[in-house]
Amino acid sequence: MRISELSRRSGVSVPTIKYYIREELLPAGRLTSPNQADYDEQHLRRLRLIRALIGVRGLSVDATRQVLGALAEQQASPHLVLGLALGVIPPAEGEGTAAEAPTEQDGAVDALVRELGWQVYEGSPARAELARTMAGLREFGVALDWTGLLPYARLAEQTARLDLDALEGAPDPLEMAERAVVLTTLLEPALMALRRLAQEDESARRHGG
Amino acid sequence: MRISELSRRSGVSVPTIKYYIREELLPAGRLTSPNQADYDEQHLRRLRLIRALIGVRGLSVDATRQVLGALAEQQASPHLVLGLALGVIPPAEGEGTAAEAPTEQDGAVDALVRELGWQVYEGSPARAELARTMAGLREFGVALDWTGLLPYARLAEQTARLDLDALEGAPDPLEMAERAVVLTTLLEPALMALRRLAQEDESARRHGG
């Protein structure tokens, strides 16, 4: 296909596509004449994934290049493809946040993960987020320890099953990666909105609307 | 208690307490001498709620004054206290976001709420958030209609039950309001982090870790 069709089908403007090619996020098309190049379905899938990483996850061009490079080496493993696309696994060793001294909350997160039997990456940013939340709650006088998070974690397991179901049957690792980024990230505000509405309904039932 | 003790017990600095008094968010203490005022538990509860509304929900001083004013009139109804504290119900008629023309997505949100039988406020910002998400997903080529959100909404109902359980037994409407703001808002990043970890674990189970 020509660049104009690639633009239309990906939702990415022609100047932005040319910029991604210059930045080596996207391979150049096959030249069919000195001024015209041909692009294929693989370009389209890769471009859609780039759009998701930059436009939805908010990665920089450099970080996107790193993720795409790591993905290229790991296409045979759906688990690594998902981890890289969602930022659970950093694209290179020593990336990610600098190691900080472990806190009391980090121990609580370890206890939670052990109790759940979850197989999760040791350096996951999500673990640090949990530790920060528990510290923040304590600052506001709410003593919620990891056992208080346990029932929320059980519901998160069910949510994750729905999420992964939606990725089943993706015919290509790049497509699965793109879909995972879009669904995981764009659904976040919706899940929080559903919680607010459900709280309101639950409050109406308990306290009278 | 003196202002220094009020500061220590609320975690709000003395200059900030004085600022809140000047801004009429907090009533002045009872003067015990020309230079000394006495504060009681009600001051402490109100100050903690102010801290939650400004520091956690990120409201402006003006918006906080409005919420506190509306709360003062509705203390007898736990349902209205929660709705006002969490921003589900705007503190004054005609507040909130400007009405926009209904979209196709708004119809989908109505259908979802009807199916769930939820008793929720017509003008809730959470409804608009859901409509925005569905429009955003469509822009990225993901056709998730309201029936696709239904299983997520059922899990949100269970989450909301946990949330409301944590507010049971609050001895005072202001304390309940503060706790609702802190727990609802501060838990949001933790719930998203739990979802990421659960996705990783589910992916390891399905695809091999």
Side-chain angles (χ1 to χ4, degrees), chain A residues 81-116:
Chain A
V81 165
L82 284 179
L84 286 163
L86 293 172
V88 174
I89 305 168
E93 281 301 321
E95 285 294 314
T97 48
E100 285 169 33
T103 64
E104 191 182 330
Q105 276 78 31
D106 292 325
V109 174
D110 289 343
L112 177 68
V113 167
R114 244 192 333 269
E115 172 72 22
L116 290 159

PDB file of all heavy atoms in Angstrom, chain A residues 81-116:
ATOM      1  N   VAL A  81       6.193 -10.621  25.407  1.00  0.00           N
ATOM      2  CA  VAL A  81       5.634  -9.566  24.564  1.00  0.00           C
ATOM      3  C   VAL A  81       4.701  -8.683  25.387  1.00  0.00           C
ATOM      4  O   VAL A  81       4.787  -7.449  25.366  1.00  0.00           O
ATOM      5  CB  VAL A  81       4.891 -10.171  23.343  1.00  0.00           C
ATOM      6  CG1 VAL A  81       4.004  -9.135  22.668  1.00  0.00           C
ATOM      7  CG2 VAL A  81       5.899 -10.735  22.338  1.00  0.00           C
ATOM      8  N   LEU A  82       3.825  -9.330  26.154  1.00  0.00           N
ATOM      9  CA  LEU A  82       2.881  -8.567  26.986  1.00  0.00           C
ATOM     10  C   LEU A  82       3.621  -7.750  28.042  1.00  0.00           C
ATOM     11  O   LEU A  82       3.318  -6.579  28.263  1.00  0.00           O
ATOM     12  CB  LEU A  82       1.890  -9.505  27.673  1.00  0.00           C
ATOM     13  CG  LEU A  82       0.777 -10.050  26.797  1.00  0.00           C
ATOM     14  CD1 LEU A  82      -0.112 -10.988  27.610  1.00  0.00           C
ATOM     15  CD2 LEU A  82      -0.063  -8.903  26.232  1.00  0.00           C
ATOM     16  N   GLY A  83       4.573  -8.372  28.707  1.00  0.00           N
ATOM     17  CA  GLY A  83       5.308  -7.685  29.773  1.00  0.00           C
ATOM     18  C   GLY A  83       6.049  -6.466  29.259  1.00  0.00           C
ATOM     19  O   GLY A  83       6.053  -5.412  29.895  1.00  0.00           O
ATOM     20  N   LEU A  84       6.665  -6.612  28.080  1.00  0.00           N
ATOM     21  CA  LEU A  84       7.400  -5.487  27.500  1.00  0.00           C
ATOM     22  C   LEU A  84       6.435  -4.389  27.054  1.00  0.00           C
ATOM     23  O   LEU A  84       6.669  -3.201  27.294  1.00  0.00           O
ATOM     24  CB  LEU A  84       8.228  -5.965  26.298  1.00  0.00           C
ATOM     25  CG  LEU A  84       9.480  -6.776  26.654  1.00  0.00           C
ATOM     26  CD1 LEU A  84       9.986  -7.548  25.440  1.00  0.00           C
ATOM     27  CD2 LEU A  84      10.575  -5.846  27.183  1.00  0.00           C
ATOM     28  N   ALA A  85       5.350  -4.776  26.402  1.00  0.00           N
ATOM     29  CA  ALA A  85       4.411  -3.771  25.882  1.00  0.00           C
ATOM     30  C   ALA A  85       3.779  -2.981  27.020  1.00  0.00           C
ATOM     31  O   ALA A  85       3.572  -1.773  26.912  1.00  0.00           O
ATOM     32  CB  ALA A  85       3.333  -4.457  25.038  1.00  0.00           C
ATOM     33  N   LEU A  86       3.495  -3.665  28.126  1.00  0.00           N
ATOM     34  CA  LEU A  86       2.815  -2.994  29.238  1.00  0.00           C
ATOM     35  C   LEU A  86       3.795  -2.358  30.221  1.00  0.00           C
ATOM     36  O   LEU A  86       3.375  -1.707  31.177  1.00  0.00           O
ATOM     37  CB  LEU A  86       1.915  -3.990  29.971  1.00  0.00           C
ATOM     38  CG  LEU A  86       0.720  -4.485  29.147  1.00  0.00           C
ATOM     39  CD1 LEU A  86      -0.009  -5.598  29.866  1.00  0.00           C
ATOM     40  CD2 LEU A  86      -0.233  -3.325  28.852  1.00  0.00           C
ATOM     41  N   GLY A  87       5.104  -2.561  29.993  1.00  0.00           N
ATOM     42  CA  GLY A  87       6.084  -1.908  30.867  1.00  0.00           C
ATOM     43  C   GLY A  87       6.297  -2.634  32.177  1.00  0.00           C
ATOM     44  O   GLY A  87       6.876  -2.087  33.100  1.00  0.00           O
ATOM     45  N   VAL A  88       5.811  -3.882  32.268  1.00  0.00           N
ATOM     46  CA  VAL A  88       6.044  -4.663  33.479  1.00  0.00           C
ATOM     47  C   VAL A  88       7.514  -5.081  33.527  1.00  0.00           C
ATOM     48  O   VAL A  88       8.138  -5.100  34.585  1.00  0.00           O
ATOM     49  CB  VAL A  88       5.138  -5.916  33.478  1.00  0.00           C
ATOM     50  CG1 VAL A  88       5.467  -6.808  34.646  1.00  0.00           C
ATOM     51  CG2 VAL A  88       3.683  -5.504  33.508  1.00  0.00           C
ATOM     52  N   ILE A  89       8.044  -5.425  32.349  1.00  0.00           N
ATOM     53  CA  ILE A  89       9.444  -5.813  32.223  1.00  0.00           C
ATOM     54  C   ILE A  89      10.164  -4.680  31.509  1.00  0.00           C
ATOM     55  O   ILE A  89       9.739  -4.265  30.429  1.00  0.00           O
ATOM     56  CB  ILE A  89       9.576  -7.111  31.395  1.00  0.00           C
ATOM     57  CG1 ILE A  89       8.719  -8.214  32.010  1.00  0.00           C
ATOM     58  CG2 ILE A  89      11.025  -7.532  31.280  1.00  0.00           C
ATOM     59  CD1 ILE A  89       8.561  -9.421  31.120  1.00  0.00           C
ATOM     60  N   PRO A  90      11.241  -4.127  32.098  1.00  0.00           N
ATOM     61  CA  PRO A  90      11.961  -3.058  31.402  1.00  0.00           C
ATOM     62  C   PRO A  90      12.662  -3.632  30.170  1.00  0.00           C
ATOM     63  O   PRO A  90      13.070  -4.790  30.175  1.00  0.00           O
ATOM     64  CB  PRO A  90      12.973  -2.565  32.440  1.00  0.00           C
ATOM     65  CG  PRO A  90      13.090  -3.657  33.440  1.00  0.00           C
ATOM     66  CD  PRO A  90      11.824  -4.446  33.405  1.00  0.00           C
ATOM     67  N   PRO A  91      12.785  -2.824  29.076  1.00  0.00           N
ATOM     68  CA  PRO A  91      13.346  -3.348  27.831  1.00  0.00           C
ATOM     69  C   PRO A  91      14.818  -3.712  27.933  1.00  0.00           C
ATOM     70  O   PRO A  91      15.314  -4.493  27.140  1.00  0.00           O
ATOM     71  CB  PRO A  91      13.121  -2.219  26.824  1.00  0.00           C
ATOM     72  CG  PRO A  91      12.873  -1.002  27.632  1.00  0.00           C
ATOM     73  CD  PRO A  91      12.305  -1.454  28.927  1.00  0.00           C
ATOM     74  N   ALA A  92      15.553  -3.136  28.898  1.00  0.00           N
ATOM     75  CA  ALA A  92      16.976  -3.467  29.033  1.00  0.00           C
ATOM     76  C   ALA A  92      17.306  -3.612  30.504  1.00  0.00           C
ATOM     77  O   ALA A  92      16.696  -2.980  31.360  1.00  0.00           O
ATOM     78  CB  ALA A  92      17.830  -2.368  28.409  1.00  0.00           C
ATOM     79  N   GLU A  93      18.279  -4.459  30.794  1.00  0.00           N
ATOM     80  CA  GLU A  93      18.725  -4.629  32.179  1.00  0.00           C
ATOM     81  C   GLU A  93      19.147  -3.283  32.758  1.00  0.00           C
ATOM     82  O   GLU A  93      19.748  -2.462  32.066  1.00  0.00           O
ATOM     83  CB  GLU A  93      19.923  -5.585  32.228  1.00  0.00           C
ATOM     84  CG  GLU A  93      19.562  -7.056  32.120  1.00  0.00           C
ATOM     85  CD  GLU A  93      18.615  -7.511  33.231  1.00  0.00           C
ATOM     86  OE1 GLU A  93      18.796  -7.067  34.373  1.00  0.00           O
ATOM     87  OE2 GLU A  93      17.683  -8.280  32.946  1.00  0.00           O
ATOM     88  N   GLY A  94      18.882  -3.079  34.015  1.00  0.00           N
ATOM     89  CA  GLY A  94      19.333  -1.848  34.661  1.00  0.00           C
ATOM     90  C   GLY A  94      18.475  -0.646  34.325  1.00  0.00           C
ATOM     91  O   GLY A  94      18.744   0.450  34.781  1.00  0.00           O
ATOM     92  N   GLU A  95      17.437  -0.864  33.476  1.00  0.00           N
ATOM     93  CA  GLU A  95      16.491   0.219  33.223  1.00  0.00           C
ATOM     94  C   GLU A  95      15.542   0.357  34.408  1.00  0.00           C
ATOM     95  O   GLU A  95      15.717  -0.276  35.433  1.00  0.00           O
ATOM     96  CB  GLU A  95      15.679  -0.092  31.961  1.00  0.00           C
ATOM     97  CG  GLU A  95      16.433   0.090  30.673  1.00  0.00           C
ATOM     98  CD  GLU A  95      16.795   1.548  30.444  1.00  0.00           C
ATOM     99  OE1 GLU A  95      15.933   2.406  30.622  1.00  0.00           O
ATOM    100  OE2 GLU A  95      17.967   1.812  30.111  1.00  0.00           O
ATOM    101  N   GLY A  96      14.507   1.149  34.190  1.00  0.00           N
ATOM    102  CA  GLY A  96      13.490   1.255  35.229  1.00  0.00           C
ATOM    103  C   GLY A  96      13.950   2.191  36.330  1.00  0.00           C
ATOM    104  O   GLY A  96      14.937   2.895  36.196  1.00  0.00           O
ATOM    105  N   THR A  97      13.221   2.185  37.403  1.00  0.00           N
ATOM    106  CA  THR A  97      13.508   3.116  38.479  1.00  0.00           C
ATOM    107  C   THR A  97      14.758   2.670  39.241  1.00  0.00           C
ATOM    108  O   THR A  97      15.063   1.489  39.323  1.00  0.00           O
ATOM    109  CB  THR A  97      12.333   3.156  39.471  1.00  0.00           C
ATOM    110  OG1 THR A  97      11.972   1.810  39.797  1.00  0.00           O
ATOM    111  CG2 THR A  97      11.132   3.850  38.857  1.00  0.00           C
ATOM    112  N   ALA A  98      15.456   3.639  39.777  1.00  0.00           N
ATOM    113  CA  ALA A  98      16.646   3.334  40.566  1.00  0.00           C
ATOM    114  C   ALA A  98      16.233   2.564  41.810  1.00  0.00           C
ATOM    115  O   ALA A  98      15.158   2.776  42.369  1.00  0.00           O
ATOM    116  CB  ALA A  98      17.332   4.633  40.952  1.00  0.00           C
ATOM    117  N   ALA A  99      17.099   1.649  42.223  1.00  0.00           N
ATOM    118  CA  ALA A  99      16.793   0.857  43.405  1.00  0.00           C
ATOM    119  C   ALA A  99      16.805   1.759  44.642  1.00  0.00           C
ATOM    120  O   ALA A  99      17.711   2.561  44.821  1.00  0.00           O
ATOM    121  CB  ALA A  99      17.814  -0.259  43.550  1.00  0.00           C
ATOM    122  N   GLU A 100      15.756   1.634  45.443  1.00  0.00           N
ATOM    123  CA  GLU A 100      15.736   2.383  46.696  1.00  0.00           C
ATOM    124  C   GLU A 100      15.835   1.405  47.853  1.00  0.00           C
ATOM    125  O   GLU A 100      15.604   0.214  47.681  1.00  0.00           O
ATOM    126  CB  GLU A 100      14.432   3.188  46.802  1.00  0.00           C
ATOM    127  CG  GLU A 100      14.449   4.402  45.888  1.00  0.00           C
ATOM    128  CD  GLU A 100      13.079   5.041  45.786  1.00  0.00           C
ATOM    129  OE1 GLU A 100      12.341   4.999  46.786  1.00  0.00           O
ATOM    130  OE2 GLU A 100      12.758   5.568  44.719  1.00  0.00           O
ATOM    131  N   ALA A 101      16.165   1.940  49.014  1.00  0.00           N
ATOM    132  CA  ALA A 101      16.243   1.078  50.179  1.00  0.00           C
ATOM    133  C   ALA A 101      14.859   0.492  50.449  1.00  0.00           C
ATOM    134  O   ALA A 101      13.860   1.200  50.375  1.00  0.00           O
ATOM    135  CB  ALA A 101      16.720   1.884  51.380  1.00  0.00           C
ATOM    136  N   PRO A 102      14.777  -0.826  50.739  1.00  0.00           N
ATOM    137  CA  PRO A 102      13.464  -1.411  50.996  1.00  0.00           C
ATOM    138  C   PRO A 102      12.815  -0.803  52.242  1.00  0.00           C
ATOM    139  O   PRO A 102      13.492  -0.523  53.231  1.00  0.00           O
ATOM    140  CB  PRO A 102      13.769  -2.902  51.219  1.00  0.00           C
ATOM    141  CG  PRO A 102      15.231  -3.072  51.158  1.00  0.00           C
ATOM    142  CD  PRO A 102      15.879  -1.758  50.889  1.00  0.00           C
ATOM    143  N   THR A 103      11.521  -0.576  52.173  1.00  0.00           N
ATOM    144  CA  THR A 103      10.796  -0.005  53.296  1.00  0.00           C
ATOM    145  C   THR A 103       9.948  -1.096  53.943  1.00  0.00           C
ATOM    146  O   THR A 103       9.831  -2.204  53.425  1.00  0.00           O
ATOM    147  CB  THR A 103       9.859   1.110  52.839  1.00  0.00           C
ATOM    148  OG1 THR A 103       8.870   0.517  51.984  1.00  0.00           O
ATOM    149  CG2 THR A 103      10.607   2.184  52.063  1.00  0.00           C
ATOM    150  N   GLU A 104       9.340  -0.735  55.046  1.00  0.00           N
ATOM    151  CA  GLU A 104       8.404  -1.632  55.717  1.00  0.00           C
ATOM    152  C   GLU A 104       7.273  -2.035  54.759  1.00  0.00           C
ATOM    153  O   GLU A 104       6.834  -3.174  54.732  1.00  0.00           O
ATOM    154  CB  GLU A 104       7.814  -0.857  56.908  1.00  0.00           C
ATOM    155  CG  GLU A 104       7.020  -1.672  57.877  1.00  0.00           C
ATOM    156  CD  GLU A 104       6.451  -0.754  58.967  1.00  0.00           C
ATOM    157  OE1 GLU A 104       7.090   0.276  59.286  1.00  0.00           O
ATOM    158  OE2 GLU A 104       5.379  -1.068  59.459  1.00  0.00           O
ATOM    159  N   GLN A 105       6.838  -1.069  53.918  1.00  0.00           N
ATOM    160  CA  GLN A 105       5.741  -1.337  52.985  1.00  0.00           C
ATOM    161  C   GLN A 105       6.154  -2.347  51.919  1.00  0.00           C
ATOM    162  O   GLN A 105       5.341  -3.133  51.453  1.00  0.00           O
ATOM    163  CB  GLN A 105       5.264  -0.045  52.316  1.00  0.00           C
ATOM    164  CG  GLN A 105       4.253   0.751  53.136  1.00  0.00           C
ATOM    165  CD  GLN A 105       4.909   1.539  54.255  1.00  0.00           C
ATOM    166  OE1 GLN A 105       6.040   1.961  54.129  1.00  0.00           O
ATOM    167  NE2 GLN A 105       4.195   1.734  55.351  1.00  0.00           N
ATOM    168  N   ASP A 106       7.431  -2.314  51.500  1.00  0.00           N
ATOM    169  CA  ASP A 106       7.883  -3.298  50.516  1.00  0.00           C
ATOM    170  C   ASP A 106       7.732  -4.707  51.076  1.00  0.00           C
ATOM    171  O   ASP A 106       7.349  -5.631  50.357  1.00  0.00           O
ATOM    172  CB  ASP A 106       9.351  -3.042  50.135  1.00  0.00           C
ATOM    173  CG  ASP A 106       9.512  -1.749  49.347  1.00  0.00           C
ATOM    174  OD1 ASP A 106       8.609  -1.424  48.569  1.00  0.00           O
ATOM    175  OD2 ASP A 106      10.534  -1.070  49.539  1.00  0.00           O
ATOM    176  N   GLY A 107       8.027  -4.880  52.369  1.00  0.00           N
ATOM    177  CA  GLY A 107       7.850  -6.179  52.997  1.00  0.00           C
ATOM    178  C   GLY A 107       6.385  -6.596  52.973  1.00  0.00           C
ATOM    179  O   GLY A 107       6.069  -7.770  52.743  1.00  0.00           O
ATOM    180  N   ALA A 108       5.488  -5.634  53.175  1.00  0.00           N
ATOM    181  CA  ALA A 108       4.057  -5.925  53.143  1.00  0.00           C
ATOM    182  C   ALA A 108       3.633  -6.360  51.743  1.00  0.00           C
ATOM    183  O   ALA A 108       2.835  -7.291  51.583  1.00  0.00           O
ATOM    184  CB  ALA A 108       3.259  -4.691  53.581  1.00  0.00           C
ATOM    185  N   VAL A 109       4.176  -5.711  50.715  1.00  0.00           N
ATOM    186  CA  VAL A 109       3.845  -6.090  49.340  1.00  0.00           C
ATOM    187  C   VAL A 109       4.346  -7.503  49.050  1.00  0.00           C
ATOM    188  O   VAL A 109       3.630  -8.312  48.448  1.00  0.00           O
ATOM    189  CB  VAL A 109       4.444  -5.078  48.328  1.00  0.00           C
ATOM    190  CG1 VAL A 109       4.237  -5.558  46.895  1.00  0.00           C
ATOM    191  CG2 VAL A 109       3.831  -3.703  48.526  1.00  0.00           C
ATOM    192  N   ASP A 110       5.564  -7.828  49.519  1.00  0.00           N
ATOM    193  CA  ASP A 110       6.079  -9.189  49.342  1.00  0.00           C
ATOM    194  C   ASP A 110       5.151 -10.206  49.997  1.00  0.00           C
ATOM    195  O   ASP A 110       4.860 -11.258  49.415  1.00  0.00           O
ATOM    196  CB  ASP A 110       7.482  -9.310  49.972  1.00  0.00           C
ATOM    197  CG  ASP A 110       8.532  -8.549  49.178  1.00  0.00           C
ATOM    198  OD1 ASP A 110       8.253  -8.207  48.011  1.00  0.00           O
ATOM    199  OD2 ASP A 110       9.614  -8.281  49.726  1.00  0.00           O
ATOM    200  N   ALA A 111       4.684  -9.888  51.200  1.00  0.00           N
ATOM    201  CA  ALA A 111       3.789 -10.805  51.912  1.00  0.00           C
ATOM    202  C   ALA A 111       2.491 -11.010  51.128  1.00  0.00           C
ATOM    203  O   ALA A 111       1.993 -12.133  51.006  1.00  0.00           O
ATOM    204  CB  ALA A 111       3.489 -10.260  53.314  1.00  0.00           C
ATOM    205  N   LEU A 112       1.963  -9.928  50.571  1.00  0.00           N
ATOM    206  CA  LEU A 112       0.726 -10.004  49.776  1.00  0.00           C
ATOM    207  C   LEU A 112       0.929 -10.908  48.556  1.00  0.00           C
ATOM    208  O   LEU A 112       0.120 -11.804  48.287  1.00  0.00           O
ATOM    209  CB  LEU A 112       0.318  -8.592  49.336  1.00  0.00           C
ATOM    210  CG  LEU A 112      -0.907  -8.466  48.424  1.00  0.00           C
ATOM    211  CD1 LEU A 112      -2.176  -8.852  49.160  1.00  0.00           C
ATOM    212  CD2 LEU A 112      -1.039  -7.047  47.868  1.00  0.00           C
ATOM    213  N   VAL A 113       2.013 -10.664  47.824  1.00  0.00           N
ATOM    214  CA  VAL A 113       2.285 -11.435  46.603  1.00  0.00           C
ATOM    215  C   VAL A 113       2.489 -12.911  46.946  1.00  0.00           C
ATOM    216  O   VAL A 113       2.011 -13.798  46.237  1.00  0.00           O
ATOM    217  CB  VAL A 113       3.509 -10.838  45.868  1.00  0.00           C
ATOM    218  CG1 VAL A 113       4.012 -11.792  44.789  1.00  0.00           C
ATOM    219  CG2 VAL A 113       3.158  -9.483  45.259  1.00  0.00           C
ATOM    220  N   ARG A 114       3.166 -13.189  48.068  1.00  0.00           N
ATOM    221  CA  ARG A 114       3.393 -14.574  48.487  1.00  0.00           C
ATOM    222  C   ARG A 114       2.067 -15.258  48.803  1.00  0.00           C
ATOM    223  O   ARG A 114       1.813 -16.375  48.376  1.00  0.00           O
ATOM    224  CB  ARG A 114       4.291 -14.599  49.731  1.00  0.00           C
ATOM    225  CG  ARG A 114       5.634 -15.265  49.519  1.00  0.00           C
ATOM    226  CD  ARG A 114       6.405 -15.556  50.795  1.00  0.00           C
ATOM    227  NE  ARG A 114       6.137 -14.691  51.920  1.00  0.00           N
ATOM    228  CZ  ARG A 114       6.809 -13.583  52.196  1.00  0.00           C
ATOM    229  NH1 ARG A 114       7.788 -13.169  51.400  1.00  0.00           N
ATOM    230  NH2 ARG A 114       6.519 -12.861  53.263  1.00  0.00           N
ATOM    231  N   GLU A 115       1.226 -14.558  49.559  1.00  0.00           N
ATOM    232  CA  GLU A 115      -0.066 -15.122  49.945  1.00  0.00           C
ATOM    233  C   GLU A 115      -0.910 -15.463  48.709  1.00  0.00           C
ATOM    234  O   GLU A 115      -1.604 -16.476  48.673  1.00  0.00           O
ATOM    235  CB  GLU A 115      -0.819 -14.121  50.835  1.00  0.00           C
ATOM    236  CG  GLU A 115      -2.255 -14.474  51.162  1.00  0.00           C
ATOM    237  CD  GLU A 115      -2.365 -15.634  52.150  1.00  0.00           C
ATOM    238  OE1 GLU A 115      -1.382 -15.887  52.877  1.00  0.00           O
ATOM    239  OE2 GLU A 115      -3.440 -16.286  52.171  1.00  0.00           O
ATOM    240  N   LEU A 116      -0.839 -14.586  47.688  1.00  0.00           N
ATOM    241  CA  LEU A 116      -1.634 -14.791  46.480  1.00  0.00           C
ATOM    242  C   LEU A 116      -1.023 -15.854  45.574  1.00  0.00           C
ATOM    243  O   LEU A 116      -1.708 -16.385  44.690  1.00  0.00           O
ATOM    244  CB  LEU A 116      -1.738 -13.474  45.702  1.00  0.00           C
ATOM    245  CG  LEU A 116      -2.597 -12.382  46.360  1.00  0.00           C
ATOM    246  CD1 LEU A 116      -2.234 -11.012  45.815  1.00  0.00           C
ATOM    247  CD2 LEU A 116      -4.081 -12.670  46.131  1.00  0.00           C
TER     248      LEU A 116
END
